[in-house]
Amino acid sequence: MSITMRRTVLRSTVLAAATALAAAISTLPAQALDAQWCKDVHIRFFVGGAEGDAFGTIVYNGAKQAEADLGPKVDYIFSQWDVEKMVQQLREAVAVKPGGIAMMGHPGDASIMPLAEQAHKDGIRMMYQNVPVPKVTAAFGGGYVGAQQEQQGRALGAEAFKLAGLKAGDKAIMIGPFENENRGARERGTVAALKEAGVEVIQLSSPPSGEWASDPNLAIPVITAALLNNPDVKAVGYPGGQMLGNVPTYMQAAGRKAGDIFNFGFDTSPQIVEGFKGGWVQLTADQQPFLQGYLPILSLCQQAVLGLAPMNVDTGAGFVTPENYEIVAELAKQALR
């Protein structure tokens, strides 16, 4: 066979192979992405709080939308933000051997690690939301959807210092689960940013059981006492939307009026929107919890059906203030933002 003929045959062979490959690839989207394309996948999804929780409801609504869009069978797990309960529920979830688990990272690396190892052995895909567990994902895989805790906390502290007009020597209160290695990184970051700017920070540790998030009124005596003992406090920071939404109650219990103290924290909710409207709340960091519901389910479906790698998405979206809160107000009232 001449060189010219061999080249012609080779080109024809390559062209035929490429055509066949293109034809095969072109059929994949229609086969894989029909409506309810994830219907054969069973997922256990951790919402975090109790049913009706201000933050958890937005996460839940995002997850329910993903379930409706993609079609998986989803079991929803409510934990009242109790980290010990989350660990027990995760143990039960791994035992069921679903196709995937979307887990709140609040218990931290050490508590989750052995259960993540078991899930890995059993071939259960894992996603984590709201609180990152970097040691777990480094060891046994999985993705993360949520804000980066320390980074977001530091950014909030710097923004609060600026917007509140604080100066070195001023006094602030910061509430948070400081002893929790992973979850407390956010509030520790806020404290660090304020202290580095010269602010004196009084730290109020929230209970590890998450009861202040489940029922913010339980914190009234502690916050009231702190304000009465420190009448010169210029700002108060809160660890989540449940407590930030309860600011009017805290301030009134301590005999303070709207605007007397710069109140800041994390998340959005109908209560926080009303707090902005009434002048009680001055700043919050938005972490888009709807995405923390939707994207872990989407990622587990993509892993199970399409063989894609786990998602890693930073949902920290910036800040909401009295100047821009109306942009997100309507969606917040619908528990979507």
Side-chain angles (χ1 to χ4, degrees):
M1 182 182 294
S2 68
I3 293 176
T4 301
M5 289 180 65
R6 282 200 298 271
R7 286 176 177 169
T8 301
V9 171
L10 178 60
R11 279 197 294 268
S12 298
T13 302
V14 170
L15 179 60
T19 301
L21 178 60
I25 291 175
S26 69
T27 64
L28 286 177
Q31 293 174 353
L33 299 180
D34 287 342
Q36 307 292 286
W37 54 272
C38 190
K39 64 182 182 299
D40 295 327
V41 178
H42 178 204
I43 294 171
R44 287 215 161 182
F45 185 92
F46 282 72
V47 179
E51 294 185 60
D53 174 85
F55 182 87
T57 295
I58 307 175
V59 175
Y60 176 73
N61 286 343
K64 288 293 289 185
Q65 188 62 55
E67 179 186 12
D69 290 347
L70 311 174
K73 179 183 183 297
V74 183
D75 302 326
Y76 294 97
I77 312 299
F78 298 90
S79 311
Q80 290 77 42
W81 303 113
D82 185 330
V83 294
E84 292 183 3
K85 187 172 185 177
M86 285 184 187
V87 172
Q88 178 57 34
Q89 290 170 328
L90 178 58
R91 185 175 293 109
E92 295 166 359
V94 171
V96 172
K97 297 185 179 179
I101 298 173
M103 173 66 183
M104 287 280 172
H106 294 65
D109 285 296
S111 295
I112 292 176
M113 188 72 76
L115 296 172
E117 180 178 12
Q118 186 60 52
H120 180 72
K121 290 178 181 178
D122 293 341
I124 302 169
R125 300 165 187 84
M126 296 294 298
M127 286 291 296
Y128 301 92
Q129 59 266 11
N130 196 244
V131 176
V133 281
K135 294 177 183 177
V136 167
T137 53
F140 299 111
Y144 173 66
V145 178
Q148 294 300 318
Q149 297 284 293
E150 183 179 7
Q151 177 181 322
Q152 189 183 43
R154 278 187 165 273
L156 179 66
E159 192 74 3
F161 181 83
K162 180 177 68 174
L163 295 186
L166 299 176
K167 59 184 183 298
D170 283 342
K171 188 180 292 185
I173 292 172
M174 188 66 206
I175 306 163
F178 300 107
E179 292 77 20
N180 186 312
E181 178 185 2
N182 293 66
R183 170 62 186 84
R186 187 173 70 179
E187 287 72 21
R188 291 195 301 270
T190 302
V191 170
L194 290 172
K195 284 186 174 181
E196 288 166 9
V199 176
E200 179 185 345
V201 183
I202 300 163
Q203 296 180 222
L204 301 181
S205 293
S206 55
S209 61
E211 58 193 52
W212 285 3
S214 295
D215 184 355
N217 286 330
L218 295 176
I220 292 174
V222 176
I223 295 174
T224 300
L227 290 173
L228 292 177
N229 291 333
N230 299 278
D232 53 344
V233 161
K234 299 289 183 65
V236 179
Y238 302 84
Q242 304 90 343
M243 295 186 71
L244 187 62
N246 208 40
V247 159
T249 300
Y250 300 141
M251 294 297 106
Q252 290 166 358
R256 301 302 183 94
K257 298 178 182 178
D260 284 354
I261 289 177
F262 187 94
N263 290 291
F264 67 99
F266 301 89
D267 309 329
T268 57
S269 71
Q271 294 79 14
I272 292 171
V273 166
E274 290 303 310
F276 276 116
K277 188 176 180 180
W280 297 101
V281 175
Q282 285 70 41
L283 171 67
T284 189
D286 181 16
Q287 57 175 324
Q288 302 185 101
F290 186 90
L291 293 181
Q292 296 179 22
Y294 195 100
L295 294 182
I297 289 180
L298 173 61
S299 182
L300 289 170
C301 284
Q302 289 177 335
Q303 292 174 58
V305 179
L306 303 177
L308 299 184
M311 283 186 182
N312 285 282
V313 180
D314 185 348
T315 65
F319 302 108
V320 180
T321 68
E323 284 68 42
N324 66 11
Y325 81 91
E326 292 182 349
I327 296 173
V328 301
E330 192 55 41
L331 290 174
K333 290 177 181 177
Q334 297 174 41
L336 298 174
R337 181 69 183 272

